[in-house]
Amino acid sequence: MRNILVIGAAGQIGSELVPYLRGIYGENNVIASDIVDNPMLSGSGPYAILNALDRVAMYDLVRKHHVDAVYNLVAVLSARGEADPMWAWNINMGSQINSLEIAREIKGAVFTPSSIGAFGHTTPPDNTPQDTVMRPSTIYGISKVTAEMLSDYYHLKYGVDARGLRYPGIISNVTLPGGGTTDYAVEIYYAALSKGSFVCNLSPGTFLDMMYMPDALKAAVQIMEADPSRLVHRNCFNVSAMSFEPEMIAAAIRKHIPDFRIEYSIDPIKQSIANSWPNQMDDSAAREEWDWEPEYDLETMTADMIDKLKVKLGA
Ligand code: AKB
């Protein structure tokens, strides 16, 4: 049985990963933390207000709860990071090095979500290999590549059980993402139900990998529970579930809301970031080494998103 500390728990992934982990490992064995409160998480198990850059406070929490695995969900995402690169670097790298240093002390494990943002313009964009050129052009991407390399380093040098995934854009209906390039693929569902139309900030034809939240949660647990003797890679695995461009998601929504309209007002920063990311990754290493297999595609995800958001928005 694991005792897990989740840092950055109040964000898009954490607000669903914490209940998911609590369902598997027991509610008292998953300590959620963030710099702000999250009543949903603090009402359902241990919760701490924690600045992930404060290593002493984080270590105190780890000792108090006998933690043996840290899930580091702290991140300033791609587009937001470009507005204040040094701030983004300090938060992204500070939380990562603290997680790894504490895991080294306790001989524990670390889960690191990397991203399609770790790739760059010189990466092959189609069927992007697991092992390939990684020269990202955003501070977010640079921090993700560094986190991947540090995680491997801590594994090889200190035996930290560091593992990670290169997540695509994650689509969910509980907590909105913020500051990402792929955020449009979440916002479009809210707009479709509340207004019947959406102004997209990426151009038609911009293909990106995406994944529905239930698959993202399943992948996080599966990689951390994977038999280590099967892992050739550790930090980090390409994982994808679908690849689409804005016209395709709009068409999928129209099957449920026939009058839905999409218009375009391109955000040059987000467009240039998206252009530097893969169209579609090859995730065969994850499939071979720990049996990764997503459940949702664009059609099944869209049906579920619309059902759930109808209830949430009273639409
Ligand atoms: C972003 O768009 O920055 C994130 C990501 C793909 O890592 N959603």
Side-chain angles (χ1 to χ4, degrees):
M1 182 55 80
R2 283 185 187 273
N3 280 336
I4 295 172
L5 171 66
V6 181
I7 61 172
Q12 186 202 13
I13 299 180
S15 59
E16 294 190 60
L17 184 61
V18 168
Y20 187 76
L21 293 172
R22 284 179 175 160
I24 295 170
Y25 300 107
E27 57 192 29
N28 288 322
N29 300 324
V30 179
I31 298 91
S33 71
D34 205 299
I35 200 152
V36 292
D37 188 20
N38 179 312
M40 231 166 54
L41 302 181
S42 53
S44 63
Y47 193 91
I49 303 289
L50 175 74
N51 176 351
L53 302 186
D54 183 345
R55 191 182 303 170
V56 173
M58 192 161 143
Y59 194 37
D60 283 348
L61 205 55
V62 161
R63 275 188 308 204
K64 179 174 164 202
H65 293 277
H66 309 289
V67 164
D68 52 29
V70 177
Y71 281 55
N72 176 16
L73 307 182
V74 175
V76 178
L77 297 184
S78 55
R80 182 93 196 278
E82 291 313 288
D84 194 343
M86 216 51 245
W87 171 72
W89 171 262
N90 287 336
I91 291 178
N92 292 355
M93 292 323 306
S95 58
Q96 185 66 22
I97 202 76
N98 285 349
S99 303
L100 289 167
E101 270 295 292
I102 287 172
R104 180 172 72 85
E105 279 294 328
I106 62 171
K107 302 188 187 346
V110 177
F111 170 72
T112 302
S114 185
S115 162
I116 51 173
F119 296 113
H121 284 288
T122 47
T123 301
D126 295 311
N127 217 17
T128 303
Q130 171 67 39
D131 302 307
T132 187
V133 181
M134 301 187 77
R135 305 280 294 180
S137 53
T138 62
I139 198 71
Y140 174 66
I142 295 167
S143 70
K144 286 299 180 192
V145 175
T146 311
E148 290 190 14
M149 292 193 299
L150 274 174
S151 300
D152 274 338
Y153 180 81
Y154 270 70
H155 173 63
L156 291 170
K157 192 163 176 80
Y158 302 119
V160 170
D161 187 7
R163 307 181 187 194
L165 305 171
R166 291 185 190 126
Y167 275 134
I170 293 175
I171 293 155
S172 65
N173 48 61
V174 174
T175 303
L176 282 164
T181 303
T182 58
D183 293 4
Y184 93 87
V186 179
E187 291 159 359
I188 194 169
Y189 288 105
Y190 282 81
L193 282 162
S194 58
K195 295 191 290 195
S197 65
F198 179 64
V199 181
C200 186
N201 50 31
L202 295 183
S203 66
T206 308
F207 276 88
L208 291 167
D209 283 292
M210 300 280 177
M211 184 182 292
Y212 196 29
M213 184 63 92
D215 280 328
L217 304 180
K218 183 177 80 171
V221 170
Q222 239 183 300
I223 178 63
M224 292 310 282
E225 292 293 343
D227 174 356
S229 69
R230 284 182 65 196
L231 299 182
V232 179
H233 302 88
R234 278 178 162 266
N235 301 282
C236 288
F237 284 92
N238 288 0
V239 281
S240 185
M242 60 193 97
S243 165
F244 58 75
E245 51 86 35
E247 289 292 315
M248 289 167 70
I249 188 170
I253 290 173
R254 260 183 228 113
K255 291 187 180 154
H256 303 264
I257 306 171
D259 293 337
F260 174 66
R261 281 172 295 110
I262 185 164
E263 289 156 31
Y264 293 91
S265 170
I266 307 310
D267 176 328
I269 293 178
K270 288 193 179 183
Q271 187 65 52
S272 121
I273 294 173
N275 290 348
S276 75
W277 290 355
N279 298 328
Q280 172 259 319
M281 288 185 292
D282 169 13
D283 60 6
S284 52
R287 291 172 189 264
E288 278 156 28
E289 294 175 38
W290 49 276
D291 308 319
W292 161 242
E293 197 175 352
E295 193 182 328
Y296 287 88
D297 60 16
L298 178 56
E299 303 301 329
T300 52
M301 173 182 77
T302 298
D304 198 57
M305 277 295 281
I306 288 180
D307 279 355
K308 299 262 165 55
L309 286 180
K310 268 186 186 160
V311 177
K312 182 174 178 181
L313 303 176

